[in-house]
Structure formats: structure tokens, C-alpha cells
């Protein structure tokens, strides 16, 4: 994974020998500075999107793969900056013979190493069937069938929420990387599902008390760097792919994005910024559709109090306000 860095000194510490070249920033980093840079980037993503409150109980979704195990290690470190917060790991056992059993063992080992509690919930106990059984059952059934990943994805999403609630989590952290996020954005577009872009955010909205808010602290880290992080930190993770992995279109998009990034450095980040603008525009349109009456003047507004009343309040009490820009 290490690359020819062509320089004798790390761009940050100016002392150690670099082992990694980061094309989109032009930095050449030594191992120590690379690890620190990932931790710093995750911290800044967390604060940029206000992902954490000081006393959050954070559940990290750990599948045993490189991204989720790396996230657990990074979050175990960051959590120390929040003395009133606590960390717990949660895993879903979908019931995929010969695959998930090993991944769960690796997830547990990492939790033990970090001294983090680990809770597992299975499809079998929650839904009465393992994923293997569901796939088998559906293969025998007639009519329109979904892919194994479609069943797995929907059932896992719910299972994660159930277990996050069970462990009293305020936030559920998932290890989606910049690459995962950008693939999903393009997939949504290619499926004609543009409005979904507004739902996939770095911190989900508080929409229902039973829906644990999700955070994606790795959303600005390229997948290549999460893998390198695991390698440098000698973190154990599962590398064999799921036997049902079949998302043909996602693989094509992954290849396309990687080819684009190699030719036009930084396009993944440009796409990330474009997605944010699209998300804001969609939210604006939705808000326009959901106007209500201002609780003070009765004029239509997407907020509880309209902007004019908010401004008037500030004008009345100039000392106590921050100006609206
Ligand atoms: Fe589930 Fe598909 Fe992922 Fe396998 S590849 S764990 S079936 S979503
Ligand atoms: Zn260095
Ligand atoms: Zn239901």
C-alpha cells in the first residue's frame, strides 16, 4: 500500500521518512503523521457537522471489515476528548454461514483490545430467519425477487436501530467512507431516486424519538486511507468478501470514480461538495412545501418563528443577538 513518495522528509513533521503520498493535498506523510491526520480529519468532520454532544452514548456499528474496525479505533481515541460520553460497539449477525461468524469474532477481538463493550443482535432472533434462510426461501418463491443485498440492507438498517436503542445510544456511528457516500449519491441518481440524497447526510435529522440519529465520521475520508490506517495500526479485520456481494452497478460506479480520481485528482471531494449543495436545495424545496404559520405573526414560514420575527427580536434586544448573515 505504501507508495514511492519521492521525497526524504514528511511534509508535516519534517523529520521522518514519508511512506504515503496524498495526491489531493500534495502531502507526503510518515506513518505517525498519517495516523494523526486521519484522527484530526475525523475530529474536524465531527465538529463541522456537530455530530456529537458532550454526553452522548455513542454506538459504533462494527461489522468486522476494515472500515468499521478502523472507525472503532478512531472513535475510542476521540471519545476520550468527551469525558461525559461513552462508547459501545454493536454488530448485526445476518446469518451468513462461513462469513459473518468470522467477522464477528474479529469485531469482538478488537472490542476486547480497546476495552469497549460489544453487543450483537441476529436476524434469527429479530426476524425468525437468517439471511441464508431468507435467500433460500425467496429462491424457491415465484414472482419478482429482490437481490440478497436488498433484503439484507433493509433488515440490517432496522436491526441496527433496534440494537442502538437497546444499548441506550444517542448516536449510531457507521463507517461509510467518502467513496461509499459518493457511490450512493451516483447510484441514487442513476436509479432516478434523487430525493434520497437529502436523506443520506453526515448527521441524520431528529425525525422520531425511536429512530437513533446516525453519524458518519468517515464521510470525508477516502476508502484507500481507511485501509491504510488499519494496515499501519496493525488492526485485524476481515478481508474476504460476502458471498452474496453482487451490487453490479455499485462496482461499476466504484471503478468509474476511481478512474476519474486517478485522472482528475480531487473529483471525489468535488462531488461531495456538489452533493451537499443538492441536499440543501432539496431541503429548501421540501421546506417550501411544508410551510406553517409563524407562532408570532401568523405569516407562512418553514420554521416555528419566521425570519422577520427572528430579526425583529434581535432588533429589540440588540445586545443579546448574533446577526443573521
Ligand atoms: Fe448483506 Fe449484501 Fe453486504 Fe452481504 S454484501 S453483508 S448480503 S448487504
Ligand atoms: Zn511526519
Ligand atoms: Zn416495521
Amino acid at each position: 500500500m505504501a507508495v514511492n513518495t519521492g521525497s526524504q522528509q514528511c511534509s508535516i513533521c519534517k523529520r521522518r521518512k514519508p511512506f504515503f503520498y496524498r495526491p489531493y493535498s500534495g502531502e507526503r506523510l510518515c506513518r505517525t503523521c498519517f495516523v494523526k491526520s486521519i484522527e484530526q480529519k475525523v475530529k474536524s468532520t465531527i465538529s463541522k457537522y456537530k455530530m456529537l454532544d458532550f454526553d452522548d452514548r455513542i454506538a459504533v456499528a462494527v461489522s468486522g471489515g476494515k472500515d468499521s474496525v478502523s472507525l472503532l479505533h478512531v472513535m475510542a481515541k476521540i471519545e476520550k476528548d468527551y469525558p461525559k460520553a461513552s462508547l459501545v460497539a454493536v454488530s448485526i449477525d445476518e446469518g451468513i454461514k462461513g462469513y459473518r461468524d468470522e467477522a464477528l469474532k474479529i469485531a469482538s477481538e478488537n472490542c476486547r483490545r480497546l476495552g469497549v463493550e460489544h453487543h450483537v443482535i441476529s436476524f434469527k432472533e429479530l426476524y425468525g430467519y437468517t439471511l441464508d434462510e431468507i435467500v433460500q426461501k425467496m429462491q424457491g418463491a415465484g414472482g419478482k425477487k429482490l437481490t440478497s443485498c436488498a433484503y439484507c440492507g433493509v433488515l440490517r438498517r432496522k436491526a441496527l436501530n433496534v440494537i442502538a436503542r437497546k444499548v441506550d445510544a444517542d448516536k449510531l456511528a457507521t463507517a461509510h467512507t467518502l467513496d461509499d457516500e459518493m457511490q450512493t449519491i451516483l447510484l441514487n441518481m442513476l436509479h432516478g431516486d434523487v430525493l434520497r440524497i437529502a436523506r443520506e447526510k453526515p448527521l441524520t435529522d431528529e425525525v422520531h424519538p425511536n429512530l437513533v440519529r446516525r453519524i458518519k465520521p468517515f464521510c470525508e475520508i477516502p476508502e484507500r486511507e481507511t485501509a491504510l490506517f488499519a494496515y499501519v495500526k496493525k488492526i485485524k479485520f476481515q478481508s474476504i468478501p460476502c458471498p452474496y456481494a453482487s451490487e453490479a452497478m455499485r462496482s461499476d460506479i466504484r471503478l468509474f470514480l476511481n478512474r476519474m480520481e486517478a485522472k482528475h485528482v480531487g473529483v471525489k471531494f468535488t462531488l461531495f461538495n456538489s452533493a451537499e449543495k443538492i441536499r440543501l436545495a432539496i431541503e429548501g424545496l421540501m421546506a417550501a412545501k411544508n410551510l406553517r404559520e409563524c407562532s408570532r405573526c401568523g405569516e407562512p414560514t418553514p420554521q416555528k418563528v419566521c425570519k422577520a420575527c427572528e430579526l425583529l427580536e434581535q432588533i429589540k434586544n440588540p445586545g443579546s443577538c448574533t446577526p443573521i448573515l
Side-chain angles (χ1 to χ4, degrees):
M1 181 72 74
V3 290
N4 179 13
T5 52
S7 161
Q8 291 314 303
Q9 284 178 338
C10 164
S11 317
I12 297 182
C13 66
K14 317 262 189 259
R15 275 189 300 122
R16 288 179 287 262
K17 204 169 158 354
F19 89 113
F20 171 65
Y21 174 60
R22 187 175 268 156
Y24 57 88
S25 69
E27 291 166 305
R28 291 165 206 282
L29 303 173
C30 70
R31 285 164 194 260
T32 313
C33 293
F34 169 75
V35 166
K36 276 194 200 151
S37 77
I38 296 289
E39 290 163 355
Q40 277 308 327
K41 182 71 192 168
V42 175
K43 272 189 197 175
S44 80
T45 301
I46 288 175
S47 88
K48 177 168 148 196
Y49 294 102
K50 300 186 174 53
M51 287 181 181
L52 294 181
D53 287 317
F54 74 103
D55 58 352
D56 270 348
R57 179 153 170 84
I58 311 152
V60 181
V62 185
S63 65
K66 64 178 179 359
D67 299 332
S68 66
V69 179
S70 294
L71 178 65
L72 181 68
H73 282 252
V74 174
M75 292 306 289
K77 188 145 194 209
I78 290 178
E79 185 246 338
K80 295 198 172 79
D81 295 344
Y82 296 76
K84 295 234 157 105
S86 59
L87 197 69
V88 55
V90 294
S91 299
I92 307 302
D93 180 0
E94 298 93 344
I96 306 172
K97 213 165 179 320
Y99 168 70
R100 185 55 78 211
D101 351 0
E102 198 209 322
L104 286 174
K105 246 191 256 160
I106 295 172
S108 285
E109 270 174 49
N110 277 282
C111 291
R112 258 198 312 277
R113 184 175 150 192
L114 293 165
V116 175
E117 272 175 53
H118 186 208
H119 298 259
V120 183
I121 195 168
S122 68
F123 276 15
K124 185 82 181 175
E125 62 187 288
L126 203 53
Y127 306 119
Y129 302 99
T130 64
L131 185 67
D132 287 339
E133 287 166 352
I134 293 171
V135 171
Q136 217 177 16
K137 221 172 141 56
M138 297 318 290
Q139 266 167 0
K144 200 170 171 245
K145 281 168 244 156
L146 298 171
T147 62
S148 312
C149 292
Y151 293 109
C152 183
V154 171
L155 297 178
R156 192 180 41 214
R157 203 175 167 86
K158 173 173 168 177
L160 273 173
N161 191 53
V162 169
I163 193 161
R165 241 186 12 238
K166 218 167 159 182
V167 301
D168 268 332
D170 300 295
K171 301 280 163 56
L172 171 65
T174 60
H176 293 94
T177 61
L178 175 69
D179 292 68
D180 295 323
E181 291 302 276
M182 293 313 100
Q183 289 157 18
T184 304
I185 296 289
L186 290 186
L187 263 176
N188 286 335
M189 287 185 162
L190 295 174
H191 283 143
D193 223 349
V194 189
L195 294 183
R196 280 184 80 106
I197 295 174
R199 265 206 272 155
E200 301 296 334
K201 328 166 101 171
L203 162 67
T204 56
D205 294 329
E206 202 169 352
V207 282
H208 192 280
N210 282 346
L211 194 61
V212 180
R213 296 180 79 187
R214 291 172 180 238
I215 58 172
K216 295 174 184 169
F218 272 175
C219 67
E220 294 181 287
I221 310 269
E223 191 175 315
R224 180 172 173 244
E225 297 190 22
T226 58
L228 193 55
F229 180 89
Y231 162 78
V232 175
K233 297 272 287 176
K234 298 190 172 45
I235 293 171
K236 201 171 167 204
F237 60 86
Q238 192 195 37
S239 46
I240 56 161
C242 170
Y244 297 124
S246 64
E247 277 195 86
M249 203 190 264
R250 188 178 281 272
S251 315
D252 289 344
I253 292 174
R254 177 182 292 120
L255 279 176
F256 162 73
L257 278 173
N258 286 346
R259 241 181 261 141
M260 286 293 283
E261 183 69 35
K263 255 182 140 173
H264 310 278
V265 174
V267 288
K268 287 181 190 170
F269 284 104
T270 310
L271 189 57
F272 182 86
N273 293 333
S274 302
E276 287 221 305
K277 287 179 195 156
I278 296 174
R279 194 178 295 128
L280 284 174
I282 294 173
E283 280 175 349
L285 285 173
M286 303 298 237
K289 273 194 195 155
N290 294 314
L291 292 184
R292 52 183 173 171
E293 288 171 11
C294 168
S295 62
R296 296 197 187 157
C297 71
E299 283 297 303
T301 172
Q303 273 99 30
K304 197 165 170 252
V305 176
C306 77
K307 274 276 173 254
C309 284
E310 205 178 296
L311 272 180
L312 286 168
E313 179 65 27
Q314 290 181 7
I315 294 166
K316 258 197 254 165
N317 304 300
S320 65
C321 72
T322 38
I324 299 173
L325 297 174

